[in-house]
Every structure is written in structure tokens, then in C-alpha cells.
Amino acid sequence: MAEQRFVMTKKNYEKLKQELDYLIKVKRPEIIERIAEARSHGDLSENAEYDAAREEQRSNEGKIAEIDYKIKNADVREEDTSTGYVHLGSVVTVYDEDMEESEVYTITSVTEVDPMACKISVESPVGAALLRKKVGDTVKVECPEGFYMLKILDIK
């Protein structure tokens, strides 16, 4: 089975490396210290502090594994400042004729997605449909209910 690749900018790659470094060198020792402190209080079977610290440790180790996997499988791309077509990092204004509204999306890597801030992945249905398109193009976006059309109004 082929490894999943994570398309990201150099900036995002460095941010992930910093987060991994923090989780390993700062957070992990803090949690280990809390576990040791909780153990010193005696009976572990009824020690909520110990249980909470162990749960935090599991969560932290899961984050470390996830970020490490993304870093090892990163497909780092140069940042492109061109506004002639949609690419990773573009801020795209689109118009949905069915909904009669426009929306602004930032095209990001899967590691930077934030739907509340309209940051969508290059691998999402909208992101994939917009890639390499130009102002004035109309794209077909596949969705579970069928499809819809978006017209590209602006690229920044």
C-alpha cells in the first residue's frame, strides 16, 4: 500500500516540526512529571489525577505520532505568489449561481484546513476542482447530492 502524501508549504512543514519538537521536549516531560506526582499519592485505582495524566499522555503520544507521520510523508512545495491560476496558497473568490452568493476560499494543505476560516484543502472537492483554473473559469464540483458550479471571480 502506498504511503499517503501530505502536500504542504515549507512554512507549514516548519510549523509542524516546531509543534512536534514542543510536544516531545516540553509537553511529554511535563506529563511524565504529573504522572509521577500522582503515583506518589498512593492507591492508583481511585486516583483521578493519575487517570487524567495518563489520558493526557495517550492524547499527546497520539498527536506526536500523527505529526511525525505527516512530516515523514510531506510533499513540500514552493510557495507560488502567482495570481494567474489557482494553486496552493491562493485566495480565491468564487460565485455560486444556484445559491446566488460569493465565497472566498484559501487553498491550503490538508494539515492547515480550517472550515470556519474558509481554509480548504487542495484535496477537498472544491479545492481539487479549483486547482490550476483561472479567473473567469467555471468549475464543476462533485458532491454527494450531485454537483454544483462555481465561477472564479478573483485570485489573490
Side-chain angles (χ1 to χ4, degrees), residues 3 12 18-19 21 24 29-30 33 41 64 69-70 73 82 99 103-104 114 127 139 154:
E3 293 285 323
N12 185 234
Q18 287 175 352
E19 184 178 358
D21 192 54
I24 292 172
E30 287 175 356
E33 190 175 311
H41 294 216
I64 288 170
Y69 182 78
K70 288 177 180 177
N73 294 290
S82 168
M99 301 295 284
E103 187 68 63
V104 178
D114 182 357
V139 299
D154 188 35

Side-chain angles (χ1 to χ4, degrees), residues 3-6 8 13 16-17 20 64-75:
E3 293 285 323
Q4 180 180 1
R5 302 298 294 168
F6 296 92
M8 64 183 75
Y13 179 79
L16 284 176
K17 284 176 47 178
L20 181 63
I64 288 170
E66 178 185 348
I67 292 170
D68 186 53
Y69 182 78
K70 288 177 180 177
I71 288 171
K72 287 179 179 173
N73 294 290
D75 181 0

Side-chain angles (χ1 to χ4, degrees), residues 17-76:
K17 284 176 47 178
Q18 287 175 352
E19 184 178 358
L20 181 63
D21 192 54
Y22 168 78
L23 293 174
I24 292 172
K25 293 181 179 175
V26 177
K27 189 141 182 156
R28 183 185 273 166
E30 287 175 356
I31 294 169
I32 290 170
E33 190 175 311
R34 280 201 294 282
I35 290 172
E37 175 67 26
R39 273 192 180 138
S40 72
H41 294 216
D43 185 11
L44 298 180
S45 65
E46 295 183 22
N47 189 330
E49 186 180 335
Y50 175 78
D51 290 341
R54 292 288 297 177
E55 180 57 37
E56 186 177 4
Q57 183 182 41
R58 280 188 288 278
S59 175
N60 191 61
E61 293 304 315
K63 284 182 188 175
I64 288 170
E66 178 185 348
I67 292 170
D68 186 53
Y69 182 78
K70 288 177 180 177
I71 288 171
K72 287 179 179 173
N73 294 290
D75 181 0
V76 180

Side-chain angles (χ1 to χ4, degrees), residues 78-132:
E78 291 296 320
E79 291 192 47
D80 190 341
T81 57
S82 168
T83 58
Y85 64 98
V86 179
H87 53 79
L88 183 64
S90 291
V91 178
V92 185
T93 304
V94 296
Y95 182 74
D96 183 335
E97 291 182 11
D98 293 337
M99 301 295 284
E100 296 182 349
E101 63 185 20
S102 61
E103 187 68 63
V104 178
Y105 295 112
T106 301
I107 310 299
T108 68
S109 70
V110 294
T111 60
E112 297 175 283
V113 170
D114 182 357
M116 299 307 289
C118 292
K119 292 183 175 183
I120 61 172
S121 163
V122 294
E123 297 176 16
S124 70
V126 174
L130 292 172
L131 275 182
R132 294 176 292 284

